[in-house]
Amino acid sequence: SQPCWSEYLTTRIEQNMVVNCTCPISECRAQPTAAFICSIVSSEEIIAKYEKALLRGYVECCSNLTWCTNPQGCDQILLKDGLGYGAACSKCSWISCFNCNFLEAHYPASCSHMSHMTCAKCNHGFCWRCLKPWRPTHKDYYNCSAMVSKAAWQEKRFQDYNERCTFHHRAREFAVNLRNRVSSISEMPKIRTLTFVLDACKVLEQARKVLAYSCVYSYYNQDTESMDIVEQQTESLELNTNAL
């Protein structure tokens, strides 16, 4: 009966199980169509949840589509460009990474850098997602009792890079907050244009982001020759960013 179907479908939608739901009769594997569901369920709120579930299921099934990963919340759907780098969201301007589950694009650090963690005590490398040993790039594991001095040096090195990375992330948040405050001031009447200040805040935000992920890149980079160039460029960028 219609009341039974309505209660059944409403429950499935509320439990986010409607996309693959079938007829409640155990022998029947038929799936209710969208037209049938909309004709049975009368609540606009429940129908809206159903439509969102359909959209979410479609995006998850398409390898070239993904959701914007802005932690502040954004419902924009992004089209992957196939190059490994995310484009800015047209709605909130957040740049997502298309290759891994990290919240944002993290250039110049690679996706492996963002998932590769190292124990500061014994230098054991592991993936922070699955907690399994890091392979094939990390195969040598150190003995904690025999390598105390090396472990201590590794821990100090990690702390140094981590502190620098954290500082730049906090400085980036400062730039974002400053831009928001200036934006609210510029909207007031009789205030001269502050576009140049807003542009400076945007540049600060981007520069701090690059500097933060440069710390991750430098920590894992083992190429001494290329590191000299990277450190020089990073130092130059940091000096100019601080001046700005």
Side-chain angles (χ1 to χ4, degrees), residues 5 62 81 88 115 149 175 178 182 190 196 199 208 220 225:
W5 266 107
C62 294
D81 56 15
S115 59
S149 60
L178 181 61
V182 173
K190 300 181 180 178
F196 71 98
D199 291 341
R208 290 297 181 187
Y220 287 109
E225 185 175 347

Side-chain angles (χ1 to χ4, degrees), residues 34-99:
F36 177 76
I37 293 175
C38 291
S39 68
I40 293 293
V41 179
S42 57
S43 171
E44 293 183 1
E45 181 181 353
I46 298 299
I47 289 297
K49 288 184 178 180
Y50 169 64
E51 291 175 345
K52 286 184 179 180
L54 285 181
L55 180 60
R56 185 167 55 250
Y58 176 75
V59 172
E60 291 173 356
C61 288
C62 294
S63 59
N64 64 331
L65 296 179
T66 187
W67 296 100
C68 175
T69 57
N70 190 334
Q72 300 300 320
C74 180
D75 57 0
Q76 189 78 345
I77 299 172
L78 306 179
L79 176 65
K80 297 181 182 180
D81 56 15
L83 299 177
Y85 300 103
C89 174
S90 60
K91 185 174 182 179
C92 68
S93 300
W94 187 263
I95 304 178
S96 306
C97 179
F98 291 159
N99 278 342

